[in-house]
């Protein structure tokens, strides 16, 4: 009998292929064979949110081979991973292959890739769990609706290419809000006190001030700290108030879930969540360890369960007794409580064979794989061991102070009595062995007098909440019910790949783009990206998986809320209808210029205005961008609109007038540059760049940027008699500004291109012959701001965004140098200076 078993990856297929007989053909689906289209919405909302699946980019050849194999098979076993995603892949496989074969389909699931687990799975073959499929489908559709319908808002309002994600945006919100909390934090002063006491026999121990008059205390100033110290030093003789020795039992942590593995690997191994899952996948799918082929070393790594299979507990107990002794194996197996939403049928992450110790696996694994395997192995073995036992000695010392208050100092020491699980696994913050201190404390007796050998006070300040590490953010997401084990790594990778968050010294820091995206989403769609709402959606997905709720019913409830939220966000910055009407009415009798074709685009002012009028008449709305475009057109046709401009409301008229002024300035610069190009000074303009040391070629993505080559092409075109376009002239202006300090005749370039500072008249123009032009008048406001910034000692770190690096210190120094040379600032420079001064508290 011919049998076809389909898994997800080629590695898993090879591993399983060595374990099954020749009657099995093992093939890989290479992940999903169908998915939603990449460049289309792909959801038929009107017909029950039906997904419109298409073949994935690489699946056509795979599906062809699978169909050919299915035709020959007598039985087909679908064995993708045992989770929602794997169940969906199995369902897609059956849907696609069903017409190619008459063979029955069976769903098989195994949580580890070992011969025994696979044989059991084949014996317990079943059917596809449609509830799991529906839950995966609901999540996919939900995320597609949010991503496709919210992201265009970000493109138009924040930055092109930015995107929103139902869960990733909430994760970003957590990082941004933590950063804001850090920025808003005001440190508060407090003081701590410690004393070194000495016994009559000369033994010393240290203690910290614990309570004053049996109450918690806070000393908030140096003056109060000095008074307290004086009261203690001049108080009665210190004496021991109490000595207690208690036994403390520390229980082993539970075996790893996906979340706790990612957290532990981040803290102890400094692995990102993505790398942790990559190495775990390799360990799960199979490694060649010299046993005649590859074998899976750990159980399935996407799980939220801490359940351990009975046979694994029995094997662990035998291993512990044999290698560590009877005292390290508990009389009854250790069990750990799952969270309410955890899937009991799944197991925690553990080694498939406890006898494969990290030392035994070292020759077969690379260092990164070995470290993760060792972490998983030690955590599992420890979870099946007895508790660690410690003795905790606590001593309180009382002093009746000179100020009539009673001061209690406390000293503690912990001494291991029995290592228990810590023989195998200890957290990163390993507890200190305080045997010597405990010996001293253990000899003390109540009422025993002591002397003060030394007393110290130390000033401290409260600290802001720490930035999230990947481990801390995963923990926060899990505690808030956001995301699921299979999504944490993707969430963290996405917000970093999108440049919303950067990782600095292991901590997550939001970028300016991240702040902008988060602020926009929270302001415009507060309910959608609310932490509580996102958690409730995860609960509803769990209910779909449990069969309590139909996925289309869940989607309908969500969409009924989502549509009004989205519509409100889209309309949030629409110009008032009366202003839009007034502005549109200006163009009712304008004679528009003929349409112009520029490259592949055709610009037709009349057609644009008519289309806006039709749209406005239909729904009473135009967008903010369309509104701004109309203002620019008003500037263009100002000569025909003069009377209409005067009739506009004051607010709108000022915007129109500003546009007119701006357009006039641009046209003046263009005309001046074009005149320069036609004059005898044209060669001199390019000659002024002869000493410029152009930056070397830089490559960004698919493009290379070569300032020297670009400049030479402009010069060749201009000196050959062909006029530069307005866009080329704009590029030349930017280049002149970029290399302004290296120009041989910057004044000439500024005059011809309209760059640099505002021009003063040349000698002989507007002044007596031989008389120099008047120096620019110094601005008291500019001078005050520059003087204030001069005192700044700690500048913000330079920030790189796209092709540009923003460096406050370098910008200030360039402005100061320009001002010292007697050049005035442009309005843009003055505004930037004022903004930077406010940033550094210059008032």
């Amino acid at each position: 009998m011919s049998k076809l078993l389909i898994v997800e990856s080629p590695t898993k297929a090879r591993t399983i292929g060595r374990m099954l007989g020749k009657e099995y053909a093992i093939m890989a689906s290479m992940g999903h064979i169908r998915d939603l289209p990449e460049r289309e919405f792909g959801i038929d909302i009107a017909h029950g949110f039906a997904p419109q699946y298409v073949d994935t980019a690489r699946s056509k050849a795979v599906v062809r081979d699978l169909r050919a194999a299915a035709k020959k098979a007598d039985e087909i076993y679908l064995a993708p991973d045992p989770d929602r995603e794997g169940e969906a892949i199995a369902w897609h496989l059956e849907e696609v292959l069903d017409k190619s074969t008459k063979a029955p389909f069976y769903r098989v699931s195994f949580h580890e890739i070992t011969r025994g687990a696979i044989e059991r799975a084949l014996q317990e073959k079943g059917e596809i769990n449609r509830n799991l499929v529906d839950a995966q489908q609901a999540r996919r559709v939900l995320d597609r609706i949010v991503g496709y319908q919210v992201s265009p808002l970000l493109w138009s309002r924040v930055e092109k290419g930015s995107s929103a994600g139902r869960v990733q945006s909430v994760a970003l919100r957590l990082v941004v809000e933590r950063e804001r909390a850090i920025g808003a934090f005001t440190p508060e002063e407090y003081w701590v006190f410690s004393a070194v006491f000495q016994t009559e026999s000369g033994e010393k121990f240290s203690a910290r001030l614990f309570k004053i008059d049996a109450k918690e205390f806070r000393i908030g100033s140096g003056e109060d700290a000095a008074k307290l110290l004086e009261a203690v030093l001049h108080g009665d003789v210190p004496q021991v108030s109490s000595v207690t020795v208690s036994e403390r039992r520390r229980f082993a942590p539970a075996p790893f879930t996906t979340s706790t593995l990612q957290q532990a690997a981040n803290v102890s191994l400094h692995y990102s969540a993505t790398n942790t899952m990559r190495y775990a996948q390799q360990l799960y799918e199979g490694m060649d360890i010299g046993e005649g082929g590859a074998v899976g070393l750990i159980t399935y790594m996407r799980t939220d369960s801490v359940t351990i299979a009975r046979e694994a507990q029995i094997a662990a107990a035998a291993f512990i007794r044999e290698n560590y002794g009877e005292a390290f194996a508990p009389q009854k197996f250790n069990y750990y409580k799952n969270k309410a939403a955890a899937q009991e049928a799944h197991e925690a992450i553990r080694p498939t064979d406890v006898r494969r110790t990290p030392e035994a696996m070292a020759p077969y694994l690379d260092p990164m794989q070995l470290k993760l395997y060792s972490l998983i192995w030690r955590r599992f073995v420890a979870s099946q061991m007895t508790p660690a036992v410690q003795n905790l000695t606590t001593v309180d010392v009382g002093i009746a102070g000179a100020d009539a208050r009673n001061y209690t100092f406390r000293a503690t020491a912990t001494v291991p009595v029995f290592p228990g699980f810590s023989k195998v696994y200890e957290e990163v913050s390993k507890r200190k062995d305080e045997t010597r201190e405990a010996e001293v404390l253990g000899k003390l007796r109540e009422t025993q007098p002591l002397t003060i050998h030394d007393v110290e006070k130390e000033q401290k300040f409260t600290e802001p909440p720490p930035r999230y590490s990947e481990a801390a953010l995963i923990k926060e997401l899990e505690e808030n019910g956001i995301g699921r084990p299979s999504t944490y790594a993707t969430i963290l990778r996405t917000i970093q790949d999108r440049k919303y968050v950067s990782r600095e010294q292991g901590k997550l820091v939001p970028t300016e783009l991240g702040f902008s995206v988060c602020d926009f989403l929270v302001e415009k769609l507060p309910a959608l990206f609310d932490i509580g709402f996102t958690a409730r959606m995860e609960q509803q997905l769990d209910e779909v998986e449990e069969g309590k709720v139909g996925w289309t019913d869940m989607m309908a409830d969500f969409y009924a809320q989502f549509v009004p939220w989205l519509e409100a966000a889209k309309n949030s910055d629409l110009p008032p209808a009366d202003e839009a009407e007034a502005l549109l009415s200006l163009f009712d009798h304008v004679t528009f210029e003929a349409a112009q074709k520029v490259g592949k685009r055709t610009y037709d002012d009349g057609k644009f205005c008519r289309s806006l009028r039709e749209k406005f008449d239909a729904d009473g709305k135009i967008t903010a961008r369309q509104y701004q475009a109309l203002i620019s057109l008003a500037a263009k046709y100002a000569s025909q609109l003069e009377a209409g401009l005067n009739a506009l409301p004051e607010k709108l008229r000022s915007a129109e007038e500003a546009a007119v002024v701006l357009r006039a300035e641009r046209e003046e610069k263009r005309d001046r540059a074009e005149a320069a190009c036609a004059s005898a000074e044209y060669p001199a303009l390019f000659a002024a760049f002869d000493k410029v040391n152009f930056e070397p070629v830089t490559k960004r993505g698919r493009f290379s940027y070569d300032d020297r080559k670009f400049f030479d092409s402009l010069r060749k075109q201009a000196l050959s008699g062909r006029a530069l376009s307005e866009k080329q002239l704009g590029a030349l202006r930017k280049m002149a500004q970029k290399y302004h300090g290296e120009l041989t005749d910057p004044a000439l370039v500024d005059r011809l291109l309209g760059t640099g500072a505002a021009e003063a008249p040349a000698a002989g123009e507007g002044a007596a012959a031989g008389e120099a032009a008047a120096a620019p008048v110094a601005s008291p406001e500019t001078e005050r701001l520059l003087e204030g910034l001069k005192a700044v000692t700690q500048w913000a770190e330079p920030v790189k965004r796209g092709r540009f690096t923003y460096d406050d210190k370098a910008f200030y120094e360039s402005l100061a140098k320009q001002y010292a040379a007697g050049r005035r600032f442009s309005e843009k420079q003055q505004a930037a200076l004022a903004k930077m001064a406010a940033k550094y508290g210059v008032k």
Side-chain angles (χ1 to χ4, degrees):
M1 180 179 284
S2 174
K3 301 176 181 179
L4 172 63
L5 187 142
I6 306 173
V7 294
E8 291 181 51
S9 76
T11 302
K12 192 190 296 186
R14 286 192 294 271
T15 303
I16 294 174
R18 296 186 180 100
M19 299 176 183
L20 296 180
K22 293 182 179 179
E23 71 270 24
Y24 284 94
I26 317 295
M27 298 183 71
S29 71
M30 308 299 291
H32 280 277
I33 59 169
R34 294 194 307 182
D35 201 356
L36 296 175
E38 286 187 14
R39 292 178 175 81
E40 297 175 24
F41 184 44
I43 307 293
D44 188 351
I45 292 174
H47 295 87
F49 301 91
Q52 298 168 336
Y53 293 116
V54 297
D55 292 340
T56 59
R58 60 182 180 180
S59 70
K60 290 184 179 179
V62 173
V63 169
R64 184 180 62 245
D65 293 343
L66 288 173
R67 281 178 172 152
K71 286 180 181 179
K72 303 174 185 176
D74 297 309
E75 294 180 345
I76 300 174
Y77 295 86
L78 306 173
D81 289 340
D83 56 14
R84 289 177 187 170
E85 211 70 29
E87 207 72 19
I89 291 173
W91 177 73
H92 283 296
L93 285 167
E94 183 173 352
E95 289 279 300
V96 169
L97 300 179
D98 186 48
K99 293 180 180 179
S100 302
T101 181
K102 294 181 180 180
F105 289 86
Y106 301 107
R107 174 70 167 122
V108 294
S109 297
F110 37 82
H111 300 273
E112 59 184 78
I113 303 178
T114 59
R115 187 182 300 276
I118 292 169
E119 289 175 351
R120 282 195 302 274
L122 291 171
Q123 291 170 2
E124 298 168 0
K125 59 192 178 186
E127 297 179 349
I128 291 170
N129 184 330
R130 283 306 305 265
N131 290 336
L132 280 176
V133 175
D134 287 348
Q136 187 276 343
Q137 200 160 235
R139 177 186 292 280
R140 192 76 181 91
V141 171
L142 190 62
D143 291 344
R144 173 58 64 100
I145 288 174
V146 173
Y148 261 64
Q149 298 197 18
V150 176
S151 294
L153 282 175
L154 286 173
W155 278 54
S156 62
R157 315 289 175 83
V158 179
E159 182 170 303
K160 191 173 182 180
S162 54
S163 70
R166 184 181 61 86
V167 179
Q168 79 183 42
S169 297
V170 176
L172 173 62
R173 180 176 185 173
L174 289 171
V175 176
V176 166
E177 288 181 350
R178 175 61 60 87
E179 192 70 17
R180 289 242 164 86
I182 293 169
F185 182 81
T186 302
E188 294 182 9
E189 179 184 7
Y190 71 99
W191 292 74
V192 296
F193 305 86
S194 60
V196 177
F197 296 104
Q198 185 170 312
T199 65
E200 292 177 349
S201 60
E203 292 181 307
K204 299 173 186 173
F205 65 93
S206 60
R208 290 174 69 95
L209 182 59
F210 177 53
K211 287 186 178 179
I212 300 175
D213 289 333
K215 296 178 182 177
E216 303 289 339
F217 69 94
R218 186 181 185 87
I219 303 300
S221 70
E223 183 180 352
D224 289 344
K227 289 178 182 178
L228 186 151
L229 209 59
E230 191 72 16
V232 168
L233 289 171
H234 293 87
D236 291 348
V237 174
Q239 64 177 20
V240 177
S241 303
S242 65
V243 179
T244 59
V245 179
S246 59
E247 183 180 274
R248 174 179 290 179
R249 295 163 68 84
R250 287 177 49 230
F251 293 90
F256 283 129
T257 62
T258 303
S259 166
T260 54
L261 174 62
Q262 290 172 345
Q263 292 173 50
N266 184 247
V267 171
S268 61
L269 305 179
H270 307 293
Y271 288 2
S272 68
T274 298
N275 284 339
T276 297
M277 296 309 289
R278 178 184 299 119
Y279 303 136
Q281 182 90 29
Q282 293 164 0
L283 296 171
Y284 165 71
E285 291 193 340
M287 310 295 297
D288 189 344
I289 57 172
E291 296 182 2
V295 63
L297 295 183
I298 64 170
T299 54
Y300 190 53
M301 64 286 162
R302 293 186 179 91
T303 176
D304 53 4
S305 172
V306 291
T307 302
I308 294 294
R310 180 80 172 183
E311 57 268 29
Q313 290 181 310
I314 294 170
F319 179 86
I320 291 165
R321 289 190 178 95
E322 181 181 340
N323 289 274
Y324 300 103
E326 191 69 34
F328 288 85
Q331 295 298 313
K332 296 182 179 180
F333 293 136
N334 293 339
Y335 290 96
Y336 299 89
K337 187 175 181 181
N338 277 312
K339 294 184 177 180
Q343 301 178 58
E344 298 280 352
H346 287 192
E347 274 200 76
I349 304 170
R350 62 167 176 82
T352 55
D353 187 341
V354 71
R355 292 167 298 178
R356 296 190 182 112
T357 64
E359 293 75 20
M361 295 298 100
Y364 309 106
L365 304 179
D366 69 33
M368 308 298 277
Q369 295 167 339
L370 181 62
K371 287 178 183 178
L372 189 66
Y373 179 75
S374 177
L375 188 67
I376 294 168
W377 185 92
R378 289 186 290 108
R379 177 84 164 225
F380 166 68
V381 173
S383 75
Q384 302 304 304
M385 296 176 75
T386 51
V389 181
Q390 303 167 326
N391 278 342
L392 176 64
T393 303
T394 304
V395 172
D396 285 350
V397 177
I399 300 176
D403 57 357
R405 295 196 292 177
N406 293 313
Y407 296 88
T408 302
F409 286 79
R410 173 165 287 184
T412 61
T414 302
V415 178
V417 176
F418 177 71
F421 77 89
S422 64
K423 182 89 172 175
V424 175
Y425 182 88
E426 187 59 273
E427 306 285 355
V428 172
S429 54
K430 193 169 183 178
R431 289 160 176 79
K432 182 181 175 184
D433 184 347
E434 299 165 335
T435 303
R436 192 191 65 78
E437 293 92 331
E439 288 178 357
V440 174
L441 298 180
K443 296 176 184 177
L444 299 174
R445 297 293 177 265
E446 289 187 12
T447 72
Q448 179 177 343
L450 304 167
T451 57
I452 298 177
H453 179 75
D454 189 22
V455 182
E456 292 183 350
K457 65 180 188 297
E458 182 182 358
Q459 182 189 35
K460 292 198 172 188
F461 292 91
T462 55
E463 296 184 352
R467 285 171 169 156
Y468 285 112
S469 62
E470 284 202 357
L473 183 56
I474 290 170
K475 184 177 181 181
E476 187 79 10
L477 291 171
E478 185 180 36
E479 288 179 351
N480 282 284
I482 298 168
R484 283 297 178 261
S486 60
T487 64
Y488 296 136
T490 303
I491 292 167
L492 268 66
R493 184 176 66 247
T494 299
I495 61 176
Q496 292 177 72
D497 288 349
R498 296 272 180 195
K499 308 300 182 188
Y500 299 156
V501 169
S502 62
R503 191 162 55 170
E504 299 176 10
Q505 298 180 333
K507 301 293 184 180
L508 300 176
V509 184
T511 62
E512 286 199 25
L513 177 58
F515 276 116
S516 299
V517 167
C518 179
D519 290 347
F520 176 82
L521 294 176
V522 171
E523 178 188 352
K524 306 299 183 185
L525 291 158
L528 179 61
F529 296 105
D530 174 70
I531 292 170
F533 177 79
T534 306
R536 286 193 296 276
M537 295 307 298
E538 293 292 352
Q539 291 170 1
Q540 289 183 28
L541 288 168
D542 290 341
E543 291 173 357
V544 171
E545 180 176 328
E546 294 162 9
K548 296 178 180 178
V549 178
W551 82 271
T552 54
D553 293 336
M554 173 204 156
M555 288 304 309
D557 290 342
F558 164 77
Y559 202 68
Q561 300 176 80
F562 175 73
V563 170
W565 294 343
L566 184 65
E567 195 63 25
K570 288 179 178 178
N571 296 335
S572 61
D573 63 349
L574 293 183
D578 58 339
E579 291 187 8
E581 171 65 41
L583 187 53
L584 278 166
S585 297
L586 286 178
F587 297 92
D588 288 347
H589 304 292
V590 167
T591 302
F592 293 102
E593 294 178 358
Q596 292 184 347
K597 188 172 179 64
V598 180
K600 295 182 179 180
R601 293 187 176 184
T602 299
Y603 295 88
D604 188 330
D605 297 343
K607 184 178 180 181
F608 174 70
C609 286
R610 288 190 295 275
S611 68
L612 288 191
R613 167 55 76 182
E614 289 174 6
K615 179 181 182 302
F616 184 80
D617 289 342
D619 60 15
K621 300 173 186 176
I622 62 171
T623 68
R625 292 181 69 178
Q626 291 167 340
Y627 183 78
Q628 291 301 319
L630 284 174
I631 288 178
S632 296
L633 281 181
K636 182 176 181 179
Y637 295 99
S639 60
Q640 298 185 51
L641 302 177
E642 188 172 350
L645 287 173
N646 293 332
L648 288 177
E650 181 63 32
K651 175 184 173 183
L652 194 56
R653 188 163 64 249
S654 61
E656 297 282 6
E657 290 168 352
V660 171
V661 170
L662 179 62
R663 183 174 180 83
E665 288 177 350
R666 287 176 178 167
E667 289 178 349
E668 182 185 353
K669 281 187 176 181
R670 185 193 64 200
D671 293 344
R672 189 187 321 165
E674 288 176 351
C677 293
S679 74
E681 294 178 298
Y682 205 10
L685 170 67
F686 288 96
F689 287 80
D690 286 348
K691 302 294 184 182
V692 169
N693 183 24
F694 289 100
E695 290 181 355
V697 180
T698 57
K699 187 170 179 62
R700 288 185 287 277
R702 296 182 293 114
F703 302 102
S704 294
Y705 296 86
D706 187 337
D707 284 358
R708 161 63 73 183
K709 184 177 180 180
F710 181 60
F711 174 79
D712 287 345
S713 71
L714 293 180
R715 172 157 51 188
K716 182 178 179 181
Q717 176 181 330
L719 298 184
S720 68
R722 289 181 293 135
L724 300 180
S725 69
E726 187 172 351
K727 191 171 183 180
Q728 288 174 315
L729 285 169
L732 189 58
R733 286 190 201 100
K734 288 182 179 179
M735 195 169 285
Q737 291 167 335
K738 182 176 181 179
Y739 297 106
H740 200 272
E742 301 178 51
L743 299 173
T744 57
D745 193 346
L748 172 73
V749 175
D750 290 345
R751 180 166 59 81
L752 294 180
L753 292 180
T755 56
E759 299 85 13
E765 294 180 8
E771 181 181 338
V777 178
S779 163
E781 173 68 8
T782 303
E783 192 167 340
R784 182 183 66 79
L785 295 177
L786 288 172
E787 191 63 30
L789 287 168
K790 186 178 180 180
V792 173
T793 56
Q794 191 166 359
W795 295 91
E797 290 293 322
V799 176
K800 186 171 180 62
R801 291 196 295 277
R803 297 187 291 119
F804 302 103
T805 298
Y806 295 85
D807 186 332
D808 288 353
K809 184 179 180 183
F811 181 57
Y812 158 73
E813 289 174 347
S814 71
L815 291 180
K817 183 177 179 181
Q818 177 177 328
Y819 192 78
R823 292 167 53 204
R824 288 179 293 181
F825 293 166
S826 66
E827 289 184 12
K828 192 172 182 180
Q829 288 174 314
Q830 187 69 33
L833 175 63
K835 184 177 180 180
M836 186 165 66
K839 177 179 178 180
Y840 290 95
V842 177
K843 299 179 180 178

